[in-house]
Amino acid sequence: MEFSTGFGWTRLPVLAAAFILGSVLTVSAQIIPPFSAATPDEDAEAAEAPDANDPDVLKGIDVDKLDWGQLAIDAGTLNDLIAAKKRAQAAANDGMNWASNANANGSSAVTVKQSVSSFWDARIGADMTVTSEPRTMSELLAQKAANGGNLPQSSGSAWAAATAPGAGPIWDKTAVEARVDPGAEQSKLGASLTKSVPLSGDTSLTLQNGYSVNQQGTTAVPGIGGHITRNYETDQSAKVTLTDTGTSITAGQTLSTTDDKWLRKFGAEQKLFDNVTVSGSVGETSQGAINKSLTAGFKKSW
């Protein structure tokens, strides 16, 4: 049995062409021309188009002679500019810092410090007490009255300090400080080792061992030569800090060559609110008496 479609092979190309043409027209009807209608942004740009009466900002400027190469900044150059700005800011922060506070006896406490190296946080500085010469008799009498009948004397000490990392799991931080007071012929060299151990999420324990050498000299007088005495001192302390409550408890002891026994000390500090704290301590003295203190402090940095 044979079936016939009624169309000859000669009509198949015509049908195929008609099908392809119909598909193209259908797809073309679904595509929106990209510039068929103006968008709101284009309407705004058209509204802000310059008017012919607006002043010509390029009047008197030869465009052909403009150096457009100044705008050709690559990413490397931009990074160099940012790095240079950061170095300038760091140099400004590491400059010499001065601070002065007036004392009750009419003198001024002047402190100057400067960072030497940021790698180990090395710093140098000086702490000075500067007195002013009295200009009138009333100022002279006022200064003597405030200093027990004597005029205040200027003095000062120079110091150097550095903070370095520790030795792995043994301790975390090493601090070294040296201080020299030429006027009083005193000098001190000290070092401390600190180890922090977290006890829980909001509690930590800080252990510290300190060692120092204090040197005191005497000025030679006719018939008596000067001599130097040294005092060696070591101290140990443990501090427990509760972060949630702002409470810290410290217990420690100190031993020096001038004493024949350990002198123990116990203290606590409580943070009341921002920048305000109350602290108290009870400690032994070399004479056997108990030294007690209770202080409140306010500290603000800006």
Side-chain angles (χ1 to χ4, degrees):
M1 182 179 297
E2 294 181 1
F3 296 93
S4 178
T5 58
F7 296 95
W9 290 103
T10 58
R11 296 184 180 182
L12 288 178
V14 177
L15 293 175
F19 177 76
I20 294 173
L21 180 61
S23 301
V24 172
L25 293 177
T26 303
V27 174
S28 301
Q30 296 176 355
I31 298 177
I32 300 176
F35 302 101
S36 60
T39 62
D41 293 340
E42 292 174 344
D43 293 339
E45 293 178 359
E48 298 177 0
D51 191 2
N53 297 324
D54 292 343
D56 188 4
V57 295
L58 297 178
K59 185 177 180 180
I61 299 177
D62 191 354
V63 180
D64 295 335
K65 294 182 179 180
L66 292 177
D67 186 8
W68 299 103
Q70 299 294 332
L71 300 178
I73 301 178
D74 56 3
T77 305
L78 183 60
N79 292 334
D80 293 341
L81 294 176
I82 296 175
K85 185 177 181 180
K86 290 182 178 179
R87 287 194 299 268
Q89 292 177 350
N93 295 332
D94 294 340
M96 188 173 295
N97 297 324
W98 292 81
S100 176
N101 295 314
N103 296 326
N105 60 358
S107 63
S108 298
V110 180
T111 301
V112 56
K113 61 181 179 179
Q114 183 177 9
S115 176
V116 178
S117 173
S118 59
F119 179 69
W120 273 11
D121 190 18
R123 309 169 304 279
I124 58 174
D127 299 329
M128 299 170 285
T129 300
V130 181
T131 60
S132 59
E133 294 293 334
R135 293 170 295 182
T136 61
M137 183 59 67
S138 60
E139 291 183 359
L140 176 62
L141 296 176
Q143 289 186 8
K144 285 187 174 182
N147 293 273
N150 299 319
L151 286 176
Q153 301 295 323
S154 298
S155 61
S157 61
W159 55 267
T163 302
I170 303 177
W171 70 86
D172 300 331
K173 183 176 66 174
T174 305
V176 180
E177 181 178 0
R179 182 177 292 270
V180 178
D181 187 347
E185 297 186 8
Q186 293 179 349
S187 62
K188 179 179 180 180
L189 176 63
S192 63
L193 310 177
T194 305
K195 175 67 175 180
S196 297
V197 179
L199 300 179
S200 62
D202 59 345
T203 307
S204 62
L205 173 64
T206 302
L207 304 176
Q208 179 172 315
N209 290 336
Y211 311 91
S212 63
V213 180
N214 297 279
Q215 180 173 292
Q216 177 67 58
T218 58
T219 304
V221 296
I224 303 176
H227 65 280
I228 297 176
T229 59
R230 293 184 178 88
N231 178 29
Y232 298 89
E233 183 176 328
T234 178
D235 63 89
Q236 303 171 353
S237 65
K239 181 179 180 180
V240 177
T241 303
L242 306 177
T243 307
D244 289 350
T245 60
T247 306
S248 60
I249 302 173
T250 305
Q253 56 183 0
T254 304
L255 178 65
S256 65
T257 54
T258 58
D259 302 323
D260 56 353
K261 63 177 181 179
W262 287 93
L263 301 178
R264 296 172 176 83
K265 183 178 180 180
F266 177 82
E269 183 179 277
Q270 177 63 52
K271 182 178 180 181
L272 300 181
F273 44 89
D274 290 342
N275 307 318
V276 177
T277 58
V278 175
S279 60
S281 63
V282 177
E284 298 176 337
T285 62
S286 58
Q287 293 79 15
I290 301 299
N291 183 20
K292 303 177 182 180
S293 66
L294 180 63
T295 59
F298 173 81
K299 184 177 181 180
K300 179 67 175 179
S301 302
W302 59 86

